[in-house]
Amino acid sequence: KGKRAFIAGVADDNGYGWAIAKSLAAAGAEILVGTWVPALNIFETSLRRGKFDESRVLPGGSLMEITKVYPLDAVYDNREDVPEDVKANKRYAGSSNWTVKEVAESVKEDFGSIDVLVHSLANGPEVTKPLLETSRKGYLAAISASSYSYVSLLKHFLPIMKPGGSSISLTYIASEKIIPGYGGGMSSAKAALESDTRVLAFEAGRKHKVRVNTISAGPLRSRAAKAIGFIDMMIDYSLANAPLQKELSADEVGNTAAFLASPLASAITGAVIYVDNGLNAMGVGV
Ligand code: NAD
């Protein structure tokens, strides 16, 4: 029987979440996604109108099916945490049960269990500001949306994850090397995410036999990356300097996620896996 995957952070067909969904679907998994509440309407409409049909094509020729789309805002753990102004916001009031706890409960109710959990989301409101110009509020918002969101997701989904299951997040090399332009505390958020990957691998491994890994991905022209403003430069830099001189395709990250989710990776946990054409291994530009 095929596995079931929940992928948090899919709102169009340009990002890593979409590519991971496709690779998992191609490997036979049933796909559930969590979509950021403000992006839900446009994503569902586009999906329904066939706007993504071309990018839904799997290697065999069939189309990826998304069994269910759940509204999600991963900065809120439960209903009680949601501030009144957000509750009253038109886009949020239009859907329900989108806090992390409620989404996990809905998935449990609908399907009972999952095998694979993917966290493919990040948000740093001050990402374009250097760290020295980042406010406390912006820094904490980056950590909340990009790091704690993962702790919270895993915490709430772990009880419905099957033993032998696999959890995967997406990180970026700015956590360990200086990448000017990746600001607003986003470099700090990725450092926390990578450290948490190790601690969560221990806790989830001992408690539930679930593996926890993170993929350190190279630059991709996603919606989120375009908002940072330096993505074309990073892609050019990688093309010029990486051991493999080709543009990174989102599918290469998707395929790695499918590998990590499979029994082929049964002894891999607590790891940061680089999928970046080898750029991380370079010491100097050439
Ligand atoms: P993306 O825009 O496809 O994905 C980010 C998603 O996060 C969006 O769908 C957005 O709606 C969602 N999101 C933001 N705040 C949210 C919240 N509070 N609750 C729920 N969802 C929320 O862009 P992407 O670049 O594919 O990003 C996916 C992951 O890959 C992120 O963790 C990102 O840091 C990481 N990554 C990206 C690159 C790159 O170059 N694009 C490189 C390395 C790592």
Side-chain angles (χ1 to χ4, degrees), residues 47-276:
L47 205 56
R48 197 167 351 100
R49 293 195 182 149
K51 210 193 131 200
F52 301 136
D53 281 0
E54 250 174 69
S55 28
R56 280 173 63 213
V57 179
L58 298 174
S62 63
L63 294 190
M64 167 173 72
E65 290 298 337
I66 298 176
T67 305
K68 189 159 176 180
V69 178
Y70 293 84
L72 167 71
D73 195 320
V75 305
Y76 303 113
D77 301 314
N78 52 58
R79 202 68 209 149
E80 295 72 56
D81 285 354
V82 183
E84 287 307 320
D85 61 315
V86 176
K87 271 185 197 154
N89 181 296
K90 230 176 41 199
R91 284 185 294 186
Y92 281 83
S95 42
S96 53
N97 298 328
W98 39 257
T99 65
V100 176
K101 181 164 182 268
E102 292 169 301
V103 174
E105 284 168 356
S106 303
V107 172
K108 183 182 182 182
E109 227 173 86
D110 294 342
F111 299 97
S113 67
I114 63 167
D115 303 276
V116 182
L117 176 68
V118 179
H119 175 281
S120 182
L121 63 97
N123 199 9
E126 298 181 16
V127 65
T128 57
K129 288 189 191 164
L131 193 52
L132 273 175
E133 285 161 35
T134 298
S135 72
R136 182 182 300 267
K137 195 171 166 221
Y139 183 96
L140 293 177
I143 296 274
S144 173
S146 314
S147 316
Y148 189 77
S149 59
Y150 184 54
V151 178
S152 181
L153 262 184
L154 189 56
K155 166 182 172 165
H156 288 97
F157 275 88
L158 206 47
I160 65 163
M161 285 185 78
K162 296 229 191 91
S166 172
S167 177
I168 298 153
S169 68
L170 275 299
T171 187
Y172 185 49
I173 186 99
S175 59
E176 47 177 309
K177 297 278 164 62
I178 302 162
I179 310 280
Y182 196 74
M186 278 306 300
S187 57
S188 332
K190 291 307 193 189
L193 182 69
E194 291 175 25
S195 179
D196 294 345
T197 298
R198 292 181 281 273
V199 177
L200 294 170
F202 175 74
E203 296 179 2
R206 290 293 175 95
K207 234 179 142 174
H208 288 271
K209 297 186 165 62
V210 164
R211 295 180 292 106
V212 181
N213 295 292
T214 188
I215 295 173
S216 186
L220 173 75
R221 216 177 269 96
S222 65
R223 189 188 170 102
K226 279 192 275 190
I228 305 171
F230 71 170
I231 189 65
D232 291 318
M233 198 189 95
M234 295 322 279
I235 290 172
D236 291 345
Y237 183 88
S238 183
L239 268 176
N241 295 292
L244 301 177
Q245 292 191 291
K246 60 180 178 59
E247 194 156 322
L248 181 70
S249 105
D251 295 346
E252 294 175 298
V253 168
N255 291 340
T256 304
F259 161 69
L260 287 172
S262 81
L264 294 174
S266 56
I268 303 179
T269 193
V272 179
I273 307 283
Y274 296 94
V275 183
D276 64 349

